[in-house]
Amino acid sequence: MGVDGVMPSPSSTGQYQQQLQEQVSTPGGGGARRSRPLEEKERTKLRERHRRAITARILAGLRRHGNYNLRVRADINDVIAALAREAGWVVLPDGTTFPSRSQGSRPAGGTSAGMTSSSSQMVSQQTPPSSLRGISSGYRTSVEYNACRMKGVFMPTPSPYDLSSGARSQSPGMVGDGGEQTESLPLIAGSMEVVNDKQIMELHPKLPERDFAGTPYVPVYVMLPLGVINVKCELVDPDGLLKQLRVLKSINVDGVMVDCWWGIVEAHAPQEYNWNGYRRLFQMVRELKLKLQVVMSFHECGGNVGDDACIPLPHWVAEIGRSNPDIFFTDREGRRNPECLSWGIDKERVLRGRTAVEVYFDYMRSFRVEFDEFFEDCIISMVEIGLGPCGELRYPSCPVKHGWRYPGIGEFQCYDQYMLKSLRKAAEMRGHSFWARGPDNAGSYNSQPHETGFFCDGGDYDGYYGRFFLNWYSRVLVDHGERVLSLAKLAFEGTCIAAKLPGIHWWYKTASHAAELTAGFYNPSNRDGYSAIAAMLQKHGASLNFACAELHLLEQHEDLREALADPQGLVWQVLNAAWDVCIPVATENALLCYDRVGYNKILDNVKPLNDPDGRHFSSFTYLRLSPLLMERQNFMEFERFVKRMHGEAVLDIQV
């Protein structure tokens, strides 16, 4: 088989073998030629047949399993071009190949960025990314070769037939003298042979992946759209949703997650609940034999990143807020945040004679009674309890509506009259009533730690007052979670309950961990701020839902390095805090994901390879069901991801 993947015709076979024969000189180097033994010719034929069979299997597998659009008589250059395009490179019709973000610095002269060829039979010349290599030939200076090595792109060494014997002796590891000897290249995963003055690299069609066959079964849920139930508590587009759920069921997705919005169900009057749309949805899910994860969403929807629906808090709560705005979280400037209720009213009867905790409990109890049959049949596998903004246990310290932008440190949210009352009480008990105030040098939403007197290295956060304030601030957060989860455990006895934590990873490499402090996590470099939360969850038998599945994907972003972020460090600290007290940990992705690289990162995090105790996440929830996920190529990747999450073997191309 020729280097372009096409077998020579019978008429050219003799000429082809003669060329191979003439490339082998006698040991004396006098120019005399010798004939190859018959056995060697037969071995060459077998080797060519074997290579042709491998090529056919590669092409067939790429067409069937990789969805590559390869022509009928495709050669290795077509494969390289397809792999390069999948990796995000640009491949022009003339064969020029370059990274998509470097279009302004394309190779001059229209030559390929990573290979050249002296053969007119080479239809196109393309270069895959640094880990993919293909056919190459021709001459390159040492300067060009070294430059390409620094860029991670393989540039071929000079052909032994273009250089003098002295130059050829400088690169014995690249090409054998006899044209048949093969050597492994230290820079490249593969082997190379010389045939008819072409350097041929055996191509691995896919990057190596970790094998998840036989690993523990991790259930996969898919989060339904935010607006699947409208403000009238009606199921939106039931026919379209049913079709999508059937498709999910066909790939063995375990179930779906849905938000049960407080602002929809108890919208108009206290203790008047409308569950009609959710009942119809739950019946649909049960008929398809899927499971349900339900979120008790006591916050508003809209205004945050990723929100594509607007669901405010109940109307009657908004009316109370107009006359008593202190029921909402408040910053130092007096700006109110109606995203959720302040924890200062957890035990204050300001909601038509009820405390906030009583309102949450009545809502959860109504849900449990309304859908008793779904609990009895184990259709509802988990209930996640909303504990703050976005359903997460944290202060709303980074509100976009108030001008916060990443990577701002955020602001403390403790200036409503009820939170200040709690702070005064704590200060008086400590014997320092003048500490009943928030810090006045903590900057603003978009400040950086070193710009403030409170969060800078050696700042007030680590002084006597700072330690007192932060301890109180974080204690209010833990106490709120404990109060609500204790009642949730009572309402949903026998069913798994869970609480959600955010992954606030920016400024993690600083001493103060400022962004975590304003969010309520007292986690400076000299203190573990997550162990108390884990202990509280363990006390009430609650699981942890930590939105960290793909935080490792962020580590190479330039803005993360500038923000001194450490997603991996945060992930392992939180996981260790949870696993040390033996509570299950579930996760979900915070960023949209449709590609194999992202899925592989999620798999590595859900089933950690380097955990000595073999611990893994209890379930994974995919964010979220959408028409884009249902596109053919995206859905094929998602199906493959689900199988690997379940520990099933995935058919890959074998060569």
Side-chain angles (χ1 to χ4, degrees):
M1 184 174 66
V3 294
D4 59 353
V6 180
M7 283 296 295
S9 62
S11 61
S12 63
T13 302
Q15 181 180 0
Y16 177 77
Q17 293 181 348
Q18 182 179 358
Q19 291 174 351
L20 286 176
Q21 181 175 341
E22 290 175 352
Q23 291 172 4
V24 183
S25 60
T26 60
R33 309 296 182 185
R34 63 178 176 84
S35 299
R36 291 187 178 184
L38 182 61
E39 296 91 359
E40 187 174 350
K41 291 183 179 180
E42 291 299 324
R43 284 198 300 270
T44 300
K45 290 181 181 179
L46 291 175
R47 192 160 52 244
E48 296 299 336
R49 290 173 186 168
H50 182 58
R51 182 177 297 142
R52 180 175 60 178
I54 291 175
T55 302
R57 289 162 61 186
I58 290 175
L59 297 178
L62 289 173
R63 290 190 187 100
R64 179 177 179 184
H65 302 292
N67 198 32
Y68 287 90
N69 185 19
L70 301 174
R71 58 191 178 92
V72 176
R73 299 184 66 83
D75 59 22
I76 199 68
N77 294 288
D78 296 307
V79 176
I80 295 173
L83 291 170
R85 290 190 184 97
E86 183 187 40
W89 288 51
V90 176
V91 182
L92 299 182
D94 66 351
T96 303
T97 308
F98 52 90
S100 59
R101 62 181 178 181
S102 304
Q103 294 185 18
S105 58
R106 301 188 324 200
T111 59
S112 173
M115 71 179 78
T116 59
S117 173
S118 62
S119 173
S120 61
Q121 297 179 0
M122 302 289 283
V123 179
S124 60
Q125 298 120 352
Q126 292 89 4
T127 300
S130 59
S131 56
L132 302 175
R133 303 291 181 260
I135 303 175
S136 58
S137 170
Y139 173 81
R140 285 293 177 272
T141 66
S142 60
V143 174
E144 292 173 318
Y145 175 75
N146 292 332
C148 289
R149 286 193 62 173
M150 288 188 292
K151 295 177 182 178
V153 179
F154 172 67
M155 193 74 90
T157 55
S159 168
Y161 307 109
D162 294 336
L163 301 179
S164 64
S165 58
R168 186 161 60 246
S169 65
Q170 296 175 2
S171 56
M174 291 295 181
V175 182
D177 288 337
E180 294 177 358
Q181 179 181 355
T182 62
E183 295 282 351
S184 296
L185 298 176
L187 182 63
I188 303 171
S191 61
M192 184 172 65
E193 296 183 4
V194 174
V195 177
N196 205 14
D197 91 337
K198 306 288 191 305
Q199 294 177 348
I200 301 180
M201 181 62 56
E202 290 186 6
L203 180 70
H204 298 284
K206 292 295 179 185
L207 296 176
E209 292 183 311
R210 180 179 158 198
D211 184 13
F212 289 91
T215 57
Y217 184 102
V218 175
V220 177
Y221 290 78
V222 176
M223 200 178 298
L224 295 183
L226 291 171
V228 67
I229 304 292
N230 63 22
V231 293
K232 297 180 181 179
C233 203
E234 299 170 339
L235 182 59
V236 177
D237 189 18
D239 294 334
L241 179 62
L242 180 60
K243 292 179 182 178
Q244 292 179 323
L245 293 179
R246 284 174 175 166
V247 174
L248 293 178
K249 178 65 178 178
S250 69
I251 63 170
N252 295 321
V253 166
D254 295 88
V256 295
M257 173 181 276
V258 61
D259 291 270
C260 289
W261 295 101
W262 180 34
I264 292 177
V265 176
E266 197 181 358
H268 303 293
Q271 296 181 284
E272 291 185 6
Y273 307 103
N274 177 10
W275 299 102
N276 293 338
Y278 289 104
R279 173 165 286 280
R280 186 175 181 186
L281 171 62
F282 291 5
Q283 289 173 345
M284 185 184 298
V285 172
R286 178 169 60 181
E287 290 171 0
L288 293 174
K289 294 181 171 56
L290 292 170
K291 298 288 186 180
L292 270 168
Q293 289 181 338
V294 181
V295 183
M296 300 284 102
S297 298
F298 296 112
H299 61 283
E300 75 168 13
C301 178
N304 285 309
V305 177
D307 288 352
D308 56 3
C310 182
I311 304 171
L313 296 183
H315 301 313
W316 61 274
V317 173
E319 291 177 1
I320 296 173
R322 281 189 285 271
S323 59
N324 181 14
D326 284 293
I327 67 173
F328 302 123
F329 283 106
T330 308
D331 63 18
R332 185 175 180 82
E333 299 297 324
R335 288 169 291 197
R336 314 288 183 175
N337 190 336
E339 189 174 352
C340 61
L341 296 179
S342 168
W343 303 333
I345 65 170
D346 276 0
K347 297 188 289 185
E348 299 286 343
R349 296 190 178 277
V350 295
L351 300 177
R352 304 279 178 90
R354 293 186 295 167
T355 67
V357 171
E358 289 173 342
V359 169
Y360 303 147
F361 177 67
D362 290 342
Y363 182 86
M364 293 186 288
R365 184 171 55 183
S366 172
F367 177 83
R368 178 62 180 84
V369 172
E370 179 72 20
F371 298 105
D372 178 71
E373 58 191 288
F374 294 90
F375 284 96
E376 295 298 325
D377 295 339
C378 298
I379 302 298
I380 298 177
S381 60
M382 185 187 75
V383 180
E384 183 179 300
I385 313 301
L387 297 173
C390 298
E392 299 168 338
L393 180 60
R394 65 175 174 87
Y395 287 90
S397 56
C398 302
V400 175
K401 64 182 69 176
H402 290 165
W404 174 84
R405 296 293 182 270
Y406 176 88
I409 60 176
E411 290 190 20
F412 292 112
Q413 305 290 314
C414 60
Y415 294 95
D416 62 81
Q417 63 167 316
Y418 303 103
M419 292 286 285
L420 289 176
K421 176 183 174 182
S422 172
L423 179 57
R424 281 194 301 270
K425 183 178 179 180
E428 291 170 357
M429 290 181 63
R430 181 69 180 268
H432 301 291
S433 57
F434 57 93
W435 281 354
R437 56 177 176 82
D440 54 9
N441 59 348
S444 59
Y445 285 113
N446 294 311
S447 297
Q448 298 188 8
H450 64 272
E451 299 171 344
T452 72
F454 191 80
F455 296 114
C456 65
D457 289 352
D460 292 346
Y461 80 92
D462 203 26
Y464 289 111
Y465 161 74
R467 295 176 187 176
F468 158 78
F469 174 80
L470 293 172
N471 185 69
W472 166 82
Y473 192 71
S474 62
R475 189 70 248 172
V476 172
L477 176 142
V478 175
D479 287 345
H480 169 73
E482 186 152 9
R483 282 191 291 266
V484 178
L485 289 178
S486 64
L487 295 178
K489 181 180 179 181
L490 181 62
F492 301 117
E493 185 177 3
T495 301
C496 175
I497 61 174
K500 185 177 179 180
L501 285 185
I504 301 180
H505 48 75
W506 53 102
W507 307 119
Y508 189 89
K509 291 183 179 180
T510 63
S512 62
H513 292 222
E516 292 169 89
L517 296 185
T518 58
F521 305 113
Y522 191 6
N523 189 52
S525 57
N526 58 353
R527 187 180 189 275
D528 184 359
Y530 296 99
S531 58
I533 297 174
M536 180 267 294
L537 297 179
Q538 192 270 341
K539 176 181 177 181
H540 300 291
S543 299
L544 169 64
N545 181 8
F546 186 42
C548 69
E550 81 292 49
L551 284 185
H552 293 295
L553 288 174
L554 304 174
E555 292 189 344
Q556 302 304 318
H557 289 199
E558 188 67 29
D559 55 350
L560 287 190
R561 292 194 290 271
E562 293 177 357
L564 296 177
D566 186 7
Q568 186 173 1
L570 173 67
V571 168
W572 283 111
Q573 182 184 359
V574 176
L575 291 185
N576 286 330
W579 283 335
D580 283 348
V581 294
C582 300
I583 61 175
V585 182
T587 189
E588 62 188 49
N589 56 306
L591 305 175
L592 297 179
C593 179
Y594 302 104
D595 62 280
R596 186 169 299 186
V597 173
Y599 286 136
N600 286 344
K601 289 288 187 181
I602 292 174
L603 283 159
D604 286 335
N605 290 338
V606 172
K607 301 180 179 183
L609 182 63
N610 56 349
D611 185 83
D613 300 314
R615 295 172 292 198
H616 58 86
F617 287 74
S618 59
S619 69
F620 171 77
T621 303
Y622 176 82
L623 175 82
R624 74 181 59 242
L625 181 62
S626 67
L628 191 56
L629 174 64
M630 291 297 168
E631 291 183 3
R632 182 174 183 273
Q633 183 62 34
N634 293 340
F635 196 76
M636 289 175 60
E637 285 295 336
F638 182 66
E639 179 182 9
R640 184 178 188 273
F641 166 73
V642 171
K643 289 182 178 179
R644 303 181 82 199
M645 237 351 149
H646 289 169
E648 300 177 14
V650 175
L651 180 62
D652 280 322
I653 302 167
Q654 301 293 329
V655 293

